[in-house]
Amino acid sequence: MSETVARDSTSRALTLALVVAFVCGLLVSVVAVSLRPIQRANVEAERIAQLELVLTALSGIGRAQSIESLEQRMVELASGRFDDSIDGASFDAARAAASPATSVSIPEEQDLAGLRRRAKHAQVYLVRGDDERIDLIILPVSGRGYQSTLHAWLVMDGDTRTLRALKFYQHGETPGVGARIEEAQWEAQWQDLRAFDDAGVLRIGVRSPGGGYSDDAAYQVDGISGATRTMQGVDGMLRFWLGEFGYAAFLQRVREERP
Amino acid sequence: MSDNNWRILTRPLIDDNPLTLQILGICSALAVTTSLDTALLMSLVVVCVLALSGAVISLMRRQIPRSVRIIVQITVIATLVIVVDQLLQAYAFELSKRLSVFVGLIITNCIVLGRAEGYAMHNGVVASTLDGIGNGLGYSLILIMVGAIREFFGKGSLLNVQILVPTSQGGSFEPLQLMLLPPSAFFIIGGIIWLIRRRRPAQVEKPEFSLRDEREASK
């Protein structure tokens, strides 16, 4: 009987709870940290694989595209200029966005994607046609969704105004609801969607429920019902990255240099 | 292996199956059984988690104060599940994406906590480990049967190997779309329960109350 009393004492319960919490916490941390390099390699491979899938689909039947065949460039986002002083092969966008030296903080009223900071540089890919004209511009984009950060490839036409594809390659949205952003049927809506009107005003977005008809309808896609917060995330992500704090300067430069 | 240990291991397969007798763990059984490969991986994960949680909790059973026992059990189970989930994301990335949240949800699978509280807290390490493996295998057995039936009739394939050619590719097999939707798992599990209880009438539960007509008829 005395043993039961000792076992049920408050101090005993607290001690055991602390020990269990400490040991379990330690175990989880060690496993998570030691496996992270392999997991990151998996995500990176997935990211490349998704891009190759999109490009193969865009290039017409039978012409498989590999990432090696693309022109990889580093862009300084503020000026929109190419900056080849940074080595693209070792560039890590997530690390660059986290470090104060290689990133800038986003003013709150402009932070439509909910990112707080963004890297000063971005790694973009270009596909050139036979006459050296830029056919496709491939831009990495990200933004806050409902319960995770969405990462996607944004493929723009060489005219810098039309979307060719939007492909999400990493997210942690609710399966069956927000996670439907990966479905081919929904993704197909982005193909050949105009992002800017003829005056160059950014009008792209996700149609909001109950929004009724507006002039913007031609520049918007249908949202996924039940995934309102994810849709707001996708909408904000596109407006941010195509806006002036995102790739606007770069796109402007490409447009001007286009023959 | 002694007779007793053998019994602990095999009883949960049919006689005391957690899914068909205790009706536990149905949620994940619906979600991960659209194809056989995800059902197999989920089975493997659940067997590992049940065996390890049984062993760990049985080892600690004399130390755990009664007042905090459930939270200690959940912490141990959650740790095991997170470790397994991390391993899957590193070494089985494709499948772990398809299982998505359902690996994490093993934490709340009633079978795991049920075995920890109901068995491992009162029994030795060997018996608890075997009980965990046995219950895991009982769960797996049903999961694999449901997964095989759903993939075969829903897609005409098994383990992604096409066996029946669907009409869309010029064959004569019309895929049953219903099989890929969650309700079909209910029908299949219900069918399995009915079959087992036909063979083992002892599993049939006594009705809690009888209908009026029956009462009158038995008079």
Side-chain angles (χ1 to χ4, degrees), chain A residues 14-15 27 41 55 61 65 72 90 100 106 113 121 129 170 174-175 200 206 211 222 226-227 232 235 240 246 250:
Chain A
L14 273 174
T15 317
L27 185 65
L55 293 177
I61 300 155
Q65 292 276 353
Q72 182 267 125
S90 63
I106 306 165
H121 293 83
Q170 195 197 351
T174 320
V206 179
D222 282 332
Q232 288 165 352
D235 187 272
F240 173 78
F250 171 63

Side-chain angles (χ1 to χ4, degrees), chain A residues 3-4 7-9 12-14 16-17 20-21 23-25 27-28 31-32 35 38-39 42-43 46 50 169 173 175 182, chain B residues 60-68 72 75-76 78-79 82-83 85-94 97 100-102:
Chain A
E3 199 201 345
T4 331
R7 192 169 83 165
D8 284 348
S9 73
R12 181 79 190 274
L14 273 174
L16 191 100
V20 169
V23 173
C24 290
L27 185 65
V28 167
V31 170
L35 290 177
I38 309 175
Q39 292 170 351
N42 284 337
V43 170
E46 171 76 7
Q50 293 288 351
Y169 61 82
E173 298 299 282
E182 281 186 48
Chain B
M60 295 165 61
R61 71 186 186 279
R62 292 187 209 285
Q63 312 301 324
I64 301 177
R66 295 202 58 77
S67 51
V68 292
V72 168
T75 312
V76 170
T79 307
I82 295 169
V83 167
D85 194 21
Q86 293 290 324
L87 284 168
L88 287 181
Q89 284 179 27
Y91 298 109
F93 185 63
E94 272 309 306
K97 268 201 324 185
S100 66
V101 292
F102 295 105

Side-chain angles (χ1 to χ4, degrees), chain B residues 166-219:
Chain B
T167 41
S168 58
Q169 290 164 31
S172 56
F173 168 66
E174 188 70 54
L176 281 167
Q177 287 297 323
L178 175 68
M179 282 292 164
L180 300 179
L181 300 172
S184 70
F186 270 126
F187 306 150
I188 297 167
I189 293 174
I192 295 172
I193 293 174
W194 174 74
L195 274 177
I196 292 176
R197 291 184 184 189
R198 286 278 298 194
R199 303 293 302 268
R200 310 263 165 110
Q203 290 196 8
V204 179
E205 291 145 40
K206 285 205 180 69
E208 284 174 20
F209 54 88
S210 54
L211 295 173
R212 195 169 165 201
D213 289 351
E214 288 171 17
R215 274 207 299 273
E216 280 168 2
S218 64
K219 262 178 199 166

